[in-house]
Amino acid sequence: MTDLFGSYETGGDRFFDEVFDPEGRTRPHYRALVARLRELNRDDLDRREGIRDRIFRSQGITFTVYGDRSDEGVERTFPMDLLPRIIPADEWGHIERGVAQRVTALNRFLEDLYMGEQAAVNDGVVPRWLVHTADGFRREAFGIPVPHGARCLVSGVDLVRDVHGVYRALEDNLRNPSGISYVLENRAAMTRVLPVVFGRQRVRPVDHYGPSLLRALREVAPPAAGEHPTAVVLTPGMYNAAYFEHAFLARQMGIELVEGRDLVVDEHVVYMRTTRGLERVDVIYRRIDDDFLDPVVFRPDSALGVPGLLSAARAGNVTIANAVGNGVADDKAVYAFVPDLIRYYLGEDPILPNVETYLLWEAEQRAEVLSRLDQLVVKPVAASGGYGMLIGPHADDEEIERFRTRIEADPRGYIAQEVVSLSRHPTLVDHAFEGRHVDLRPFAIAGETVEVIPGGLTRVALRKGSLVVNSSQGGGSKDTWVLDESAPEPEDR
């Protein structure tokens, strides 16, 4: 039988390999999985890949990829690799505490900024001018309350692992982080594709996400909503790239999926049009960007939003989740100040360190970056999805010079970071396992408390050598198993 790991190359001292140590030994928490996979042959893998593909096609698990030069998207099934990522309990405990700490501090910052005395800004923890020039800063959000200060009700914190295996926070996604539906669907598929392997591990479940999200939404309902608040999911519609996830979450929570035309505001109260007449809405889990949310306040040409929605929120008659204006806190330049915000609001040292970041409006830092563009990563502060980046070691001279010009013209618009050699994980490529770079996006839900869902979305850069894991850039995913060492040993099957 062919050993599917026979030609596998570990990262050595160049990358942290999630499965094998530098001497090629299997890490303890992967031993059972690797041993089982070594019992399989190529036909076994083909059959299991076929099962996976049929599941994803029948469930319509898709997303839309947009190219840089075209507005026309291509819908594709979401690639899921057969080999899951495994995180032992103690390692997960560290991640969980770090993500909860980060989300708590960011919620404090946003609540203080829009409802409080702006203490962090007044005390110079974050420059005022930086906050006011952030693309996601919204003066219209001043004075709009959110119960429990849960402005980031759903957060996705992107983590990477450096060459030493240290988890570092790379980005905070605090507006409409997507991907949780793939976490749940990957798990459902894996229990059918590798049932014996899964059954032999003590893996923490993730299928409580829907009830947890609904509980949090109800916890942030306005006081006037009473004991049984009504929550809805607001989507831009079926042509949105993440529509599958919007519909999926509404089903998971058992609540209505609505578009802007389904809602109406009367006397600062939001109602939903139904066949029974108008029904009051108390909480809106919106998956529409701020600019399109309310044409009275933001873009007047938006046909996706709800006229008068912000006036209803300001009156305290409806809660919008995530809150308006969160984008100021996931601006990639403000990201550099998150460790200081943690110390300022919580009096604690950050559990998860940032990636070393250069602020390009600082003349000395800009000069260093411009002299090392071929060694660094440069990102536009307001972009997402992996678009518009420069990865210096992989760029040609023309691209580097293009970014030099952009930085010199708009230093506030970019940050630079040291290249992190993302950890690698064996990934099935043409009937054998090859190393591919991965990151991890754990999801946190904040209501009265902060809950971090075990695992999260492991994203994989499917192109050999690529460091771009975004699904919109051709990346895939893995199921992420967090082990529960306190659970009883599963029965042998």
Side-chain angles (χ1 to χ4, degrees):
M1 180 178 297
T2 303
D3 183 357
L4 298 171
F5 292 96
S7 58
Y8 184 78
E9 296 180 0
T10 64
D13 59 358
R14 297 171 299 148
F15 315 104
F16 183 87
D17 193 287
E18 298 284 346
V19 178
F20 300 101
D21 68 17
E23 285 72 41
R25 295 171 300 206
T26 307
R27 300 187 189 279
H29 51 288
Y30 274 99
R31 286 174 185 162
L33 174 64
V34 170
R36 173 57 180 159
L37 289 173
R38 281 185 161 135
E39 296 173 358
L40 303 181
N41 58 37
R42 293 185 174 187
D43 291 339
D44 292 328
L45 290 177
D46 284 345
R47 182 173 60 81
R48 292 166 200 273
E49 284 194 304
I51 295 172
R52 175 202 60 195
D53 293 345
R54 286 193 293 276
I55 293 171
F56 276 48
R57 280 197 297 270
S58 67
Q59 296 292 324
I61 303 171
T62 62
F63 71 106
T64 305
V65 177
Y66 292 92
D68 289 334
R69 299 178 181 177
S70 171
D71 291 329
E72 293 186 7
V74 177
E75 190 171 20
R76 53 181 287 196
T77 56
F78 195 65
M80 183 198 74
D81 186 58
L82 287 188
L83 186 55
R85 180 188 200 157
I86 300 178
I87 301 176
D90 58 342
E91 198 172 285
W92 175 250
H94 176 77
I95 295 171
E96 185 177 37
R97 291 190 297 276
V99 170
Q101 179 193 57
R102 199 170 179 94
V103 171
T104 301
L106 288 166
N107 266 326
R108 296 268 185 93
F109 168 61
L110 288 166
E111 181 72 358
D112 186 29
L113 177 66
Y114 289 120
M115 289 293 290
E117 58 184 10
Q118 301 187 356
V121 173
N122 290 332
D123 288 345
V125 179
V126 184
R128 184 182 302 278
W129 69 267
L130 185 67
V131 169
H132 287 183
T133 56
D135 184 65
F137 175 65
R138 294 288 183 271
R139 296 183 184 279
E140 297 84 352
F142 285 128
I144 296 180
V146 176
H148 310 297
R151 291 181 174 271
C152 309
L153 191 132
V154 178
S155 308
V157 179
D158 291 346
L159 305 179
V160 295
R161 216 166 179 189
D162 66 19
V163 69
H164 304 294
V166 175
Y167 282 100
R168 295 180 177 273
L170 182 66
E171 291 184 8
D172 303 292
N173 298 278
L174 310 175
R175 295 179 241 194
N176 289 308
S178 61
I180 187 64
S181 60
Y182 303 124
V183 174
L184 275 64
E185 291 288 10
N186 284 354
R187 176 60 51 81
M190 285 300 290
T191 59
R192 295 173 61 184
V193 173
L194 293 173
V196 175
V197 176
F198 183 82
R200 288 177 177 171
Q201 302 275 353
R202 293 174 290 180
V203 181
R204 292 182 62 179
V206 296
D207 57 2
H208 62 289
Y209 181 83
S212 289
L213 178 57
L214 181 59
R215 171 187 51 75
L217 290 171
R218 287 173 170 164
E219 286 175 354
V220 299
E227 295 182 0
H228 303 289
T230 297
V232 298
V233 177
L234 175 60
T235 176
M238 62 181 297
Y239 296 108
N240 183 268
Y243 180 75
F244 166 79
E245 179 155 299
H246 306 164
F248 177 87
L249 291 174
R251 286 198 306 273
Q252 287 282 311
M253 292 188 283
I255 63 178
E256 295 291 338
L257 177 69
V258 301
E259 298 182 22
R261 61 191 175 186
D262 298 320
L263 301 178
V264 60
V265 178
D266 184 35
E267 297 293 335
H268 305 303
V269 176
V270 181
Y271 296 93
M272 171 172 49
R273 293 186 173 95
T274 77
T275 55
R276 303 174 296 279
L278 296 178
E279 293 186 9
R280 180 166 177 154
V281 173
D282 304 298
V283 186
I284 297 175
Y285 180 43
R286 55 77 177 248
R287 299 299 296 262
I288 294 178
D289 293 342
D290 286 353
D291 284 344
F292 300 93
L293 196 56
D294 182 348
V296 175
V297 177
F298 298 118
R299 286 183 52 158
D301 60 338
S302 171
L304 304 175
V306 184
L309 180 57
L310 254 66
S311 70
R314 191 177 305 282
N317 291 327
V318 69
T319 300
I320 301 170
N322 285 347
V324 175
N326 277 9
V328 66
D330 65 15
D331 181 288
K332 290 181 175 60
V334 174
Y335 152 91
F337 296 89
V338 173
D340 294 330
L341 291 171
I342 291 172
R343 296 186 188 93
Y344 183 78
Y345 283 109
L346 307 182
E348 303 170 358
D349 287 328
I351 296 171
L352 297 169
N354 273 14
V355 173
E356 187 174 357
T357 301
Y358 299 96
L359 303 174
L360 302 184
W361 62 85
E362 299 283 355
E364 190 172 332
Q365 295 186 42
R366 183 170 66 251
E368 179 180 350
V369 166
L370 291 177
S371 69
R372 297 178 53 220
L373 279 175
D374 60 336
Q375 303 168 30
L376 301 171
V377 174
V378 177
K379 300 176 180 176
V381 297
S384 61
Y387 292 108
M389 294 169 49
L390 170 76
I391 301 179
H394 296 174
D396 57 29
D397 292 344
E398 182 180 351
E399 188 177 12
I400 288 175
E401 290 310 308
R402 192 161 58 244
F403 269 83
R404 185 188 308 281
T405 302
R406 291 174 182 172
I407 291 169
E408 289 173 336
D410 180 20
R412 165 66 177 91
Y414 296 87
I415 60 164
Q417 294 177 320
E418 296 290 343
V419 175
V420 177
S421 300
L422 307 187
S423 62
R424 292 203 317 190
H425 196 292
T427 301
L428 187 59
V429 180
D430 295 333
H431 299 99
F433 290 111
E434 296 183 6
R436 293 292 185 268
H437 293 290
V438 296
D439 79 349
L440 177 65
R441 175 177 289 182
F443 291 88
I445 299 174
E448 294 180 359
T449 59
V450 176
E451 176 186 7
V452 185
I453 303 303
L457 184 65
T458 292
R459 300 185 297 178
V460 189
L462 293 177
R463 287 192 291 271
K464 188 174 184 178
S466 173
L467 296 174
V468 181
V469 299
N470 305 75
S471 56
S472 55
Q473 299 281 302
S477 71
K478 288 176 172 290
D479 191 16
T480 308
W481 296 359
V482 172
L483 301 183
D484 183 358
E485 294 176 357
S486 65
E489 287 279 0
E491 295 180 4
D492 195 16
R493 303 183 182 183

